[in-house]
Amino acid sequence: MTTETYAPAREAVHEQEVEGFGTVRVLPVDPRADLDVIHRWVTEERAGFWGMTGFTREQVLETYLHLDSLDTHHAFLAVKDGEPAALFQTYEPEADRVGECYEVESGDIGVHLLIGPAGTDGARPGWSARLLTAFTTYVLIGLDRRRVVVEPDARNTKAISRLVRQGFEPGPEIVLPEIDLPGVYLPEKRARLAFLGREKVFGADAPGTPAGPGASPVE
């Protein structure tokens, strides 16, 4: 049974009962309402590769207000049994700097992910994998995409190993170019591409389904 304690009135774009884990709701980020959770996570030492460890609350808010204004980039919170559990961002690769570093295919969608702490009782086996299961189901089936593209920092071997265990196929190492625009600065980044095709997860005949309330694929 799910106990809704975090943003129970907010409409989820995806809800999934993951066997042996619980109910995961995927909520579009509300930059102001979710600021406490996001700021706490992105400024923790363990989130160093996210690139926001020194950010103030105002800087984090400005970042996610900017993200919220874009049509090509979107942020989501995964809420597990009423508890915020992960921060995910999707983007259109052709509208992102990664699009300069590989040949974008039709149906590609880029993803950034930050798994939240597993809780005060320590590590929970399968925590990251099951959250990824719910989110990749939303992206690949709910959004009817053919392939997820990720580009973790090449030094983040822990994240790369986790993605490979999840079924992602490692790609080449790339260098994402520096971006220096008014209000947006991203330093050059050495990254490792990895890909997860829909057919690998769901089979060649898996149909796409509309994303939105009521979409509840079962693992």
Side-chain angles (χ1 to χ4, degrees):
M1 180 178 295
T2 300
T3 302
E4 296 292 355
T5 57
Y6 189 86
R10 291 211 343 234
E11 191 171 61
V13 294
H14 178 78
E15 184 168 326
Q16 180 171 351
E17 184 70 29
V18 181
E19 184 177 356
F21 184 65
T23 300
V24 178
R25 300 176 71 232
V26 178
L27 308 177
V29 161
D30 179 326
R32 290 187 172 86
D34 298 324
L35 181 59
D36 286 346
V37 171
I38 295 174
H39 179 260
R40 184 172 71 250
W41 286 356
V42 301
T43 57
E44 290 178 340
E45 184 178 350
R46 68 180 186 85
F49 290 115
W50 199 256
M52 301 176 72
T53 51
F55 277 35
T56 65
R57 286 174 57 85
E58 185 62 30
Q59 287 174 311
V60 172
L61 178 59
E62 289 175 358
T63 298
Y64 282 89
L65 285 173
H66 172 71
L67 193 66
D68 195 46
S69 73
L70 303 177
D71 293 329
T72 55
H73 295 62
H74 304 281
F76 303 90
L77 271 185
V79 178
K80 186 261 187 191
D81 292 339
E83 173 188 6
L87 173 65
F88 294 95
Q89 295 170 193
T90 63
Y91 61 91
E92 301 299 333
E94 63 272 20
D96 191 88
R97 59 180 178 167
V98 74
E100 302 178 29
C101 303
Y102 87 104
E103 187 173 345
V104 179
E105 296 183 5
S106 176
D108 280 358
I109 186 167
V111 169
H112 295 140
L113 54 99
L114 177 63
I115 304 297
T120 57
D121 55 348
R124 303 179 191 178
W127 177 260
S128 298
R130 285 163 171 167
L131 288 168
L132 275 166
T133 291
F135 197 70
T136 53
T137 300
Y138 166 60
V139 170
L140 292 170
I141 300 297
L143 297 182
D144 193 18
R145 295 304 187 105
R146 304 306 305 178
R147 188 171 66 161
V148 175
V149 181
V150 294
E151 26 87 0
D153 192 293
R155 299 167 296 171
N156 194 352
T157 55
K158 182 177 179 180
I160 294 168
S161 295
R162 180 190 299 133
L163 291 165
V164 170
R165 290 196 301 272
Q166 194 76 13
F168 281 78
E169 297 181 4
E173 193 170 293
I174 60 173
V175 176
L176 296 170
E178 177 187 52
I179 293 179
D180 191 0
L181 299 171
V184 179
Y185 175 74
L186 295 172
E188 184 179 272
K189 172 185 170 183
R190 187 167 57 88
R192 181 70 179 269
L193 286 171
F195 305 91
L196 181 68
R198 187 162 89 182
E199 293 80 3
K200 183 169 184 177
V201 183
F202 301 104
D205 299 324
T209 57
S216 304
V218 177
E219 167 71 356

